[in-house]
Amino acid sequence: MSDTPKTSLDHMLDRPSPWLSGEGPFSEMVLSTRIRLARNLESVPFTHRAREEQLQGVLVSVSNAAQRSAALKGGLFVRMTDLSPVDRQTLVERRLVSHELGDASRPRGIVIGELERLALMINEEDHLRLQAMTPGFQLAEAWAMADAADDELDSALDFAFSDEIGYLTACPTNAGTGLRASVLIHLPGLVLLDEIQKVLKSIMQVGLNVRGLYGEHSEVMGNLFQVSNQTTLGRSEHDAIDSLDRVTRQIIETEERARERMMRDARVQIEDKVWRAYGTLRHCRSIHTKEVINLCSAVRLGVALGLPGLCPLPVVNELMVVTQPAHLQRRFGPDLTPPERSVYRAQVVRERLAAAEREMESES
Protein backbone atom coordinates (compact mmCIF):
# COMPACT_ATOMS: atom_id res chain seq x y z
CA MET A 1 0.00 0.00 0.00
CA SER A 2 1.56 3.27 -1.12
CA ASP A 3 -0.29 5.58 1.27
CA THR A 4 0.79 5.90 4.88
CA PRO A 5 -1.71 4.49 7.40
CA LYS A 6 -2.61 8.01 8.48
CA THR A 7 -3.29 9.15 4.90
CA SER A 8 -5.34 6.05 4.17
CA LEU A 9 -7.31 6.56 7.37
CA ASP A 10 -8.04 10.16 6.38
CA HIS A 11 -9.33 8.99 2.99
CA MET A 12 -11.63 6.50 4.70
CA LEU A 13 -12.93 8.87 7.37
CA ASP A 14 -13.66 11.61 4.85
CA ARG A 15 -16.47 9.56 3.32
CA PRO A 16 -19.69 8.27 4.94
CA SER A 17 -19.63 4.83 6.54
CA PRO A 18 -20.84 2.23 3.99
CA TRP A 19 -23.26 0.72 6.53
CA LEU A 20 -25.23 3.99 6.29
CA SER A 21 -25.98 3.42 2.59
CA GLY A 22 -29.66 2.57 3.11
CA GLU A 23 -29.22 -0.59 1.04
CA GLY A 24 -30.11 -4.18 1.85
CA PRO A 25 -33.39 -5.87 2.85
CA PHE A 26 -35.72 -3.94 5.18
CA SER A 27 -33.31 -0.99 5.14
CA GLU A 28 -36.16 1.44 5.87
CA MET A 29 -36.25 -0.15 9.32
CA VAL A 30 -32.94 -1.99 9.88
CA LEU A 31 -29.89 0.27 9.53
CA SER A 32 -27.25 -2.42 9.85
CA THR A 33 -26.45 -6.01 10.75
CA ARG A 34 -23.31 -6.99 12.63
CA ILE A 35 -21.59 -10.26 13.52
CA ARG A 36 -18.77 -10.15 16.07
CA LEU A 37 -16.50 -13.04 17.06
CA ALA A 38 -14.28 -13.01 20.18
CA ARG A 39 -11.03 -15.01 20.06
CA ASN A 40 -7.85 -15.31 22.15
CA LEU A 41 -4.41 -16.75 21.50
CA GLU A 42 -3.60 -20.02 23.22
CA SER A 43 -0.21 -19.12 24.68
CA VAL A 44 -0.90 -15.56 25.90
CA PRO A 45 -2.82 -14.45 29.03
CA PHE A 46 -6.04 -12.54 28.44
CA THR A 47 -5.54 -8.85 27.63
CA HIS A 48 -6.20 -7.60 31.17
CA ARG A 49 -3.57 -10.02 32.56
CA ALA A 50 -0.95 -9.82 29.81
CA ARG A 51 2.29 -7.83 30.04
CA GLU A 52 3.03 -5.01 27.62
CA GLU A 53 5.55 -7.06 25.63
CA GLN A 54 3.02 -9.89 25.31
CA LEU A 55 0.40 -7.52 23.95
CA GLN A 56 2.94 -6.12 21.50
CA GLY A 57 3.53 -9.69 20.31
CA VAL A 58 -0.22 -10.25 19.89
CA LEU A 59 -0.47 -7.02 17.89
CA VAL A 60 2.27 -8.14 15.50
CA SER A 61 1.09 -11.75 15.17
CA VAL A 62 -2.56 -10.93 14.57
CA SER A 63 -1.94 -8.05 12.15
CA ASN A 64 0.45 -10.23 10.13
CA ALA A 65 -2.10 -13.06 10.01
CA ALA A 66 -4.78 -10.59 8.89
CA GLN A 67 -2.62 -9.30 6.04
CA ARG A 68 -2.07 -12.88 4.85
CA SER A 69 -5.78 -13.70 4.82
CA ALA A 70 -7.83 -13.24 1.66
CA ALA A 71 -10.65 -11.53 3.58
CA LEU A 72 -8.47 -8.84 5.18
CA LYS A 73 -5.49 -8.70 2.83
CA GLY A 74 -4.73 -5.10 1.89
CA GLY A 75 -6.75 -3.83 4.81
CA LEU A 76 -5.66 -0.80 6.76
CA PHE A 77 -3.72 -1.61 9.94
CA VAL A 78 -3.53 1.18 12.50
CA ARG A 79 -2.05 1.20 16.01
CA MET A 80 -4.20 3.12 18.46
CA THR A 81 -1.11 4.85 19.87
CA ASP A 82 -0.48 6.40 16.44
CA LEU A 83 -3.85 8.15 16.41
CA SER A 84 -5.02 11.34 18.04
CA PRO A 85 -7.86 11.16 20.60
CA VAL A 86 -10.17 12.71 17.99
CA ASP A 87 -9.33 10.07 15.36
CA ARG A 88 -9.81 7.28 17.88
CA GLN A 89 -13.21 8.66 18.88
CA THR A 90 -14.17 9.00 15.20
CA LEU A 91 -13.62 5.26 14.80
CA VAL A 92 -15.89 4.70 17.81
CA GLU A 93 -18.60 6.90 16.25
CA ARG A 94 -18.38 4.87 13.04
CA ARG A 95 -18.90 1.69 15.11
CA LEU A 96 -15.53 0.30 13.99
CA VAL A 97 -13.98 0.14 17.46
CA SER A 98 -15.30 -0.03 21.00
CA HIS A 99 -14.74 2.65 23.64
CA GLU A 100 -12.28 0.29 25.30
CA LEU A 101 -10.17 -0.12 22.17
CA GLY A 102 -10.23 3.65 21.72
CA ASP A 103 -8.14 3.87 24.87
CA ALA A 104 -4.54 4.06 23.68
CA SER A 105 -2.99 3.36 27.09
CA ARG A 106 -2.00 -0.21 26.04
CA PRO A 107 -0.75 -1.76 22.76
CA ARG A 108 -3.92 -1.93 20.71
CA GLY A 109 -4.76 -1.77 17.05
CA ILE A 110 -7.32 -2.38 14.32
CA VAL A 111 -7.33 -3.84 10.83
CA ILE A 112 -10.07 -2.34 8.66
CA GLY A 113 -11.05 -4.22 5.52
CA GLU A 114 -12.45 -2.92 2.25
CA LEU A 115 -15.54 -0.69 2.61
CA GLU A 116 -15.38 -1.21 6.39
CA ARG A 117 -17.34 -4.45 6.00
CA LEU A 118 -14.76 -6.33 8.05
CA ALA A 119 -12.83 -4.98 11.01
CA LEU A 120 -10.47 -6.73 13.41
CA MET A 121 -9.92 -5.17 16.83
CA ILE A 122 -6.68 -6.34 18.49
CA ASN A 123 -6.16 -6.39 22.28
CA GLU A 124 -9.56 -5.15 23.28
CA GLU A 125 -11.18 -7.22 26.07
CA ASP A 126 -10.07 -10.26 24.04
CA HIS A 127 -7.00 -10.57 21.83
CA LEU A 128 -9.17 -10.51 18.72
CA ARG A 129 -12.63 -9.11 18.06
CA LEU A 130 -13.58 -9.80 14.44
CA GLN A 131 -16.52 -7.79 13.16
CA ALA A 132 -18.53 -8.09 9.94
CA MET A 133 -21.06 -5.35 9.17
CA THR A 134 -23.62 -4.99 6.39
CA PRO A 135 -26.27 -2.37 5.63
CA GLY A 136 -29.87 -3.49 6.11
CA PHE A 137 -31.01 -6.83 7.47
CA GLN A 138 -28.42 -9.35 6.23
CA LEU A 139 -27.57 -11.80 9.00
CA ALA A 140 -26.62 -14.67 6.68
CA GLU A 141 -24.34 -12.45 4.60
CA ALA A 142 -22.62 -10.94 7.67
CA TRP A 143 -22.13 -14.40 9.18
CA ALA A 144 -20.65 -15.76 5.92
CA MET A 145 -18.09 -12.92 5.87
CA ALA A 146 -17.15 -13.32 9.51
CA ASP A 147 -16.99 -17.12 9.33
CA ALA A 148 -14.70 -17.10 6.27
CA ALA A 149 -12.33 -14.57 7.85
CA ASP A 150 -12.35 -16.48 11.14
CA ASP A 151 -11.39 -19.73 9.36
CA GLU A 152 -8.44 -18.01 7.69
CA LEU A 153 -7.22 -16.49 10.95
CA ASP A 154 -7.68 -19.82 12.72
CA SER A 155 -5.37 -21.51 10.21
CA ALA A 156 -2.62 -18.96 10.97
CA LEU A 157 -3.07 -18.53 14.74
CA ASP A 158 -3.54 -20.90 17.68
CA PHE A 159 -6.82 -19.91 19.30
CA ALA A 160 -7.59 -20.76 22.93
CA PHE A 161 -10.18 -23.52 22.64
CA SER A 162 -11.64 -26.17 24.91
CA ASP A 163 -13.40 -29.28 23.63
CA GLU A 164 -15.80 -29.00 26.54
CA ILE A 165 -16.50 -25.25 26.51
CA GLY A 166 -15.55 -23.96 23.08
CA TYR A 167 -13.63 -20.72 22.52
CA LEU A 168 -12.20 -19.29 25.75
CA THR A 169 -12.80 -15.60 26.38
CA ALA A 170 -11.90 -13.02 29.01
CA CYS A 171 -15.55 -12.66 30.03
CA PRO A 172 -17.50 -15.89 30.64
CA THR A 173 -20.56 -14.44 28.90
CA ASN A 174 -18.69 -14.68 25.58
CA ALA A 175 -17.28 -18.20 26.03
CA GLY A 176 -18.40 -20.99 23.72
CA THR A 177 -19.03 -19.62 20.25
CA GLY A 178 -17.71 -16.14 21.11
CA LEU A 179 -20.45 -14.84 18.81
CA ARG A 180 -22.51 -11.69 19.14
CA ALA A 181 -25.00 -11.15 16.32
CA SER A 182 -26.92 -7.87 16.33
CA VAL A 183 -29.24 -5.71 14.27
CA LEU A 184 -29.63 -1.94 14.63
CA ILE A 185 -33.34 -1.33 14.15
CA HIS A 186 -35.47 1.83 14.01
CA LEU A 187 -38.79 1.49 15.90
CA PRO A 188 -40.51 4.90 16.04
CA GLY A 189 -44.00 3.44 15.50
CA LEU A 190 -43.84 1.26 18.59
CA VAL A 191 -42.38 4.13 20.62
CA LEU A 192 -45.05 6.63 19.52
CA LEU A 193 -47.86 4.15 20.23
CA ASP A 194 -46.33 3.44 23.66
CA GLU A 195 -45.95 -0.26 22.88
CA ILE A 196 -42.16 -0.44 22.91
CA GLN A 197 -41.76 -1.65 26.51
CA LYS A 198 -44.03 -4.62 25.88
CA VAL A 199 -42.01 -5.54 22.79
CA LEU A 200 -38.66 -5.10 24.57
CA LYS A 201 -39.85 -7.28 27.44
CA SER A 202 -40.82 -10.06 25.04
CA ILE A 203 -37.44 -9.78 23.29
CA MET A 204 -35.55 -10.24 26.54
CA GLN A 205 -37.77 -13.13 27.59
CA VAL A 206 -36.53 -15.15 24.61
CA GLY A 207 -32.89 -14.61 25.57
CA LEU A 208 -31.96 -11.55 23.52
CA ASN A 209 -30.41 -8.26 24.66
CA VAL A 210 -31.55 -4.75 23.78
CA ARG A 211 -29.09 -1.85 23.89
CA GLY A 212 -28.60 1.64 22.50
CA LEU A 213 -26.94 2.87 19.31
CA TYR A 214 -23.40 2.22 20.55
CA GLY A 215 -24.02 -1.06 22.36
CA GLU A 216 -23.51 -1.87 26.02
CA HIS A 217 -24.16 0.99 28.48
CA SER A 218 -25.11 3.37 25.66
CA GLU A 219 -28.25 5.49 25.65
CA VAL A 220 -31.19 4.74 23.37
CA MET A 221 -31.55 7.72 21.04
CA GLY A 222 -33.61 8.34 17.95
CA ASN A 223 -35.77 5.26 18.57
CA LEU A 224 -32.77 3.12 17.54
CA PHE A 225 -32.35 -0.20 19.31
CA GLN A 226 -29.55 -2.74 19.02
CA VAL A 227 -30.96 -6.26 19.42
CA SER A 228 -28.46 -9.10 19.92
CA ASN A 229 -28.10 -12.66 21.15
CA GLN A 230 -27.26 -13.17 24.81
CA THR A 231 -26.21 -16.84 24.99
CA THR A 232 -22.87 -17.99 23.56
CA LEU A 233 -22.28 -21.15 25.61
CA GLY A 234 -23.94 -24.44 24.72
CA ARG A 235 -25.56 -23.08 21.59
CA SER A 236 -24.29 -23.18 18.02
CA GLU A 237 -23.64 -20.10 15.90
CA HIS A 238 -26.43 -21.09 13.51
CA ASP A 239 -28.96 -21.48 16.35
CA ALA A 240 -28.10 -18.03 17.73
CA ILE A 241 -28.34 -16.41 14.32
CA ASP A 242 -31.58 -18.20 13.42
CA SER A 243 -33.15 -17.08 16.70
CA LEU A 244 -32.17 -13.45 16.13
CA ASP A 245 -33.38 -13.65 12.52
CA ARG A 246 -36.76 -15.02 13.56
CA VAL A 247 -37.31 -12.48 16.36
CA THR A 248 -36.15 -9.55 14.18
CA ARG A 249 -38.68 -10.48 11.50
CA GLN A 250 -41.40 -10.50 14.15
CA ILE A 251 -40.28 -7.07 15.36
CA ILE A 252 -40.34 -5.76 11.78
CA GLU A 253 -43.90 -7.02 11.30
CA THR A 254 -45.00 -5.46 14.60
CA GLU A 255 -43.42 -2.11 13.67
CA GLU A 256 -45.01 -2.21 10.22
CA ARG A 257 -48.45 -2.70 11.76
CA ALA A 258 -47.77 0.16 14.17
CA ARG A 259 -46.88 2.47 11.28
CA GLU A 260 -50.00 1.47 9.37
CA ARG A 261 -52.16 2.25 12.41
CA MET A 262 -50.53 5.64 12.87
CA MET A 263 -51.08 6.64 9.26
CA ARG A 264 -54.67 5.42 9.40
CA ASP A 265 -55.61 7.05 12.70
CA ALA A 266 -53.27 10.05 13.01
CA ARG A 267 -51.88 10.85 9.57
CA VAL A 268 -51.97 14.63 10.00
CA GLN A 269 -50.19 14.47 13.35
CA ILE A 270 -47.48 12.16 11.97
CA GLU A 271 -46.93 14.35 8.90
CA ASP A 272 -46.78 17.41 11.15
CA LYS A 273 -44.16 15.74 13.37
CA VAL A 274 -42.07 14.75 10.35
CA TRP A 275 -42.16 18.13 8.64
CA ARG A 276 -41.50 20.06 11.86
CA ALA A 277 -38.43 17.88 12.35
CA TYR A 278 -37.28 18.42 8.77
CA GLY A 279 -37.83 22.18 9.03
CA THR A 280 -35.79 22.38 12.23
CA LEU A 281 -32.92 20.44 10.65
CA ARG A 282 -33.10 22.47 7.43
CA HIS A 283 -32.92 25.86 9.15
CA CYS A 284 -31.21 25.31 12.52
CA ARG A 285 -28.29 27.52 13.53
CA SER A 286 -27.13 25.63 16.65
CA ILE A 287 -28.04 22.08 17.54
CA HIS A 288 -26.89 19.27 19.87
CA THR A 289 -25.97 15.74 18.80
CA LYS A 290 -28.90 14.09 20.55
CA GLU A 291 -31.37 16.52 18.98
CA VAL A 292 -30.03 15.75 15.49
CA ILE A 293 -30.49 12.03 16.06
CA ASN A 294 -34.01 12.45 17.44
CA LEU A 295 -35.07 14.78 14.60
CA CYS A 296 -33.50 12.46 12.03
CA SER A 297 -35.56 9.66 13.55
CA ALA A 298 -38.76 11.54 12.70
CA VAL A 299 -37.55 12.37 9.19
CA ARG A 300 -36.44 8.78 8.68
CA LEU A 301 -39.96 7.64 9.56
CA GLY A 302 -41.37 10.07 7.00
CA VAL A 303 -39.02 8.79 4.30
CA ALA A 304 -40.00 5.18 5.08
CA LEU A 305 -43.69 6.13 4.91
CA GLY A 306 -43.15 7.60 1.46
CA LEU A 307 -43.86 11.24 2.27
CA PRO A 308 -42.80 13.24 -0.83
CA GLY A 309 -40.12 15.93 -0.80
CA LEU A 310 -37.92 14.56 1.97
CA CYS A 311 -34.24 13.77 1.53
CA PRO A 312 -33.17 10.20 0.61
CA LEU A 313 -32.70 7.59 3.33
CA PRO A 314 -28.86 7.48 3.08
CA VAL A 315 -28.68 11.22 3.80
CA VAL A 316 -30.69 10.87 7.01
CA ASN A 317 -28.55 7.92 8.09
CA GLU A 318 -25.36 9.81 7.30
CA LEU A 319 -26.36 12.88 9.34
CA MET A 320 -26.70 10.77 12.48
CA VAL A 321 -22.99 9.93 12.31
CA VAL A 322 -21.19 12.84 10.60
CA THR A 323 -22.64 15.26 13.17
CA GLN A 324 -21.11 13.35 16.09
CA PRO A 325 -18.49 15.38 18.06
CA ALA A 326 -15.29 13.73 16.79
CA HIS A 327 -16.40 13.87 13.15
CA LEU A 328 -16.94 17.62 13.55
CA GLN A 329 -13.60 18.07 15.31
CA ARG A 330 -11.78 16.27 12.48
CA ARG A 331 -13.38 18.60 9.96
CA PHE A 332 -13.37 21.94 11.76
CA GLY A 333 -10.67 21.66 14.43
CA PRO A 334 -9.84 19.44 17.41
CA ASP A 335 -10.17 22.23 19.98
CA LEU A 336 -13.79 23.14 19.33
CA THR A 337 -15.85 23.82 22.43
CA PRO A 338 -19.29 22.15 22.74
CA PRO A 339 -21.12 25.41 21.81
CA GLU A 340 -18.87 25.82 18.75
CA ARG A 341 -19.56 22.22 17.76
CA SER A 342 -23.28 22.92 17.96
CA VAL A 343 -22.92 25.78 15.47
CA TYR A 344 -20.80 23.75 13.04
CA ARG A 345 -23.17 20.79 13.45
CA ALA A 346 -26.07 22.95 12.32
CA GLN A 347 -24.00 24.12 9.36
CA VAL A 348 -23.23 20.55 8.30
CA VAL A 349 -26.91 19.57 8.55
CA ARG A 350 -28.13 22.57 6.56
CA GLU A 351 -25.52 22.15 3.83
CA ARG A 352 -26.10 18.40 3.45
CA LEU A 353 -29.88 18.76 3.23
CA ALA A 354 -29.57 21.65 0.77
CA ALA A 355 -27.26 19.54 -1.41
CA ALA A 356 -29.73 16.66 -1.28
CA GLU A 357 -32.55 18.97 -2.37
CA ARG A 358 -30.49 20.20 -5.33
CA GLU A 359 -29.72 16.62 -6.32
CA MET A 360 -33.40 15.68 -6.20
CA GLU A 361 -34.35 18.74 -8.30
CA SER A 362 -31.76 17.90 -10.96
CA GLU A 363 -33.05 14.33 -11.18
CA SER A 364 -36.72 15.35 -11.49
Side-chain angles (χ1 to χ4, degrees):
M1 187 178 294
S2 58
D3 287 336
T4 65
K6 175 61 178 171
T7 302
S8 297
L9 183 68
D10 287 339
H11 289 165
M12 185 193 77
L13 296 182
D14 286 340
R15 61 176 188 262
S17 296
W19 63 269
L20 298 167
S21 66
E23 300 171 348
F26 301 105
S27 58
E28 73 285 353
M29 204 171 297
V30 179
L31 276 77
S32 65
T33 303
R34 180 169 63 181
I35 297 287
R36 191 214 68 197
L37 297 172
R39 301 288 186 260
N40 289 278
L41 301 189
E42 175 71 38
S43 58
V44 183
F46 292 133
T47 301
H48 68 284
R49 299 289 298 274
R51 300 188 305 274
E52 294 290 301
E53 61 268 24
Q54 290 175 311
L55 294 180
Q56 290 286 4
V58 171
L59 201 57
V60 172
S61 298
V62 174
S63 61
N64 287 342
Q67 292 296 340
R68 292 196 300 270
S69 75
L72 287 162
K73 186 177 182 179
L76 174 64
F77 169 58
V78 183
R79 294 173 183 266
M80 291 296 110
T81 51
D82 292 340
L83 298 180
S84 68
V86 169
D87 281 348
R88 294 197 299 271
Q89 182 58 31
T90 303
L91 293 174
V92 173
E93 293 173 357
R94 294 170 81 90
R95 300 175 70 212
L96 285 170
V97 310
S98 63
H99 287 284
E100 184 172 355
L101 196 80
D103 174 11
S105 62
R106 306 198 76 188
R108 291 181 163 127
I110 184 173
V111 179
I112 305 170
E114 185 179 8
L115 297 178
E116 303 175 35
R117 291 170 71 85
L118 280 173
L120 180 62
M121 292 186 283
I122 307 173
N123 289 334
E124 197 235 28
E125 181 179 76
D126 295 291
H127 297 149
L128 294 80
R129 287 283 177 94
L130 176 65
Q131 169 181 296
M133 185 122 74
T134 65
F137 184 38
Q138 304 189 72
L139 273 169
E141 291 80 359
W143 165 244
M145 279 196 298
D147 190 32
D150 181 47
D151 286 346
E152 291 176 345
L153 293 170
D154 192 19
S155 67
L157 301 165
D158 292 325
F159 288 153
F161 185 85
S162 162
D163 290 335
E164 182 180 357
I165 297 174
Y167 291 101
L168 305 180
T169 56
C171 180
T173 59
N174 290 319
T177 61
L179 178 141
R180 282 279 185 264
S182 66
V183 292
L184 183 62
I185 189 166
H186 185 219
L187 303 176
L190 292 169
V191 172
L192 290 170
L193 291 179
D194 202 25
E195 296 179 359
I196 190 64
Q197 290 304 320
K198 179 177 66 176
V199 172
L200 297 183
K201 183 178 179 181
S202 66
I203 291 171
M204 290 184 281
Q205 284 176 340
V206 295
L208 298 178
N209 271 331
V210 182
R211 293 167 173 161
L213 175 61
Y214 287 100
E216 192 171 10
H217 307 307
S218 67
E219 180 184 3
V220 173
M221 295 183 289
N223 306 314
L224 293 167
F225 300 85
Q226 194 173 142
V227 183
S228 65
N229 67 301
Q230 186 170 358
T231 304
T232 62
L233 187 62
R235 193 175 194 185
S236 72
E237 293 93 341
H238 289 289
D239 284 347
I241 292 169
D242 287 346
S243 175
L244 180 60
D245 183 275
R246 183 173 60 256
V247 172
T248 301
R249 292 181 187 278
Q250 293 171 351
I251 298 170
I252 289 171
E253 291 175 4
T254 306
E255 172 69 15
E256 285 175 341
R257 290 196 297 270
R259 295 182 184 190
E260 289 169 2
R261 284 167 52 199
M262 288 192 309
M263 291 303 283
R264 182 189 66 226
D265 301 336
R267 184 183 185 94
V268 171
Q269 291 88 338
I270 294 302
E271 290 184 352
D272 183 68
K273 180 179 180 66
V274 170
W275 282 109
R276 282 177 184 269
Y278 187 81
T280 300
L281 290 170
R282 187 66 182 83
H283 300 288
C284 62
R285 290 299 184 270
S286 175
I287 193 166
H288 294 289
T289 306
K290 186 174 180 179
E291 188 178 5
V292 170
I293 292 176
N294 288 331
L295 292 171
C296 281
S297 172
V299 175
R300 199 176 191 281
L301 173 62
V303 174
L305 292 173
L307 301 187
L310 296 170
C311 59
L313 192 62
V315 175
V316 192
N317 293 345
E318 175 189 331
L319 285 177
M320 290 192 286
V321 175
V322 299
T323 57
Q324 296 277 327
H327 276 76
L328 293 173
Q329 288 172 289
R330 285 196 83 257
R331 181 172 173 182
F332 297 106
D335 299 323
L336 292 178
T337 64
E340 289 170 336
R341 287 202 303 263
S342 293
V343 173
Y344 280 114
R345 182 176 295 114
Q347 176 185 323
V348 169
V349 172
R350 293 195 313 271
E351 290 176 350
R352 187 65 189 93
L353 291 178
E357 290 175 3
R358 290 193 298 270
E359 291 167 8
M360 289 189 294
E361 288 175 2
S362 66
E363 293 171 359
S364 61

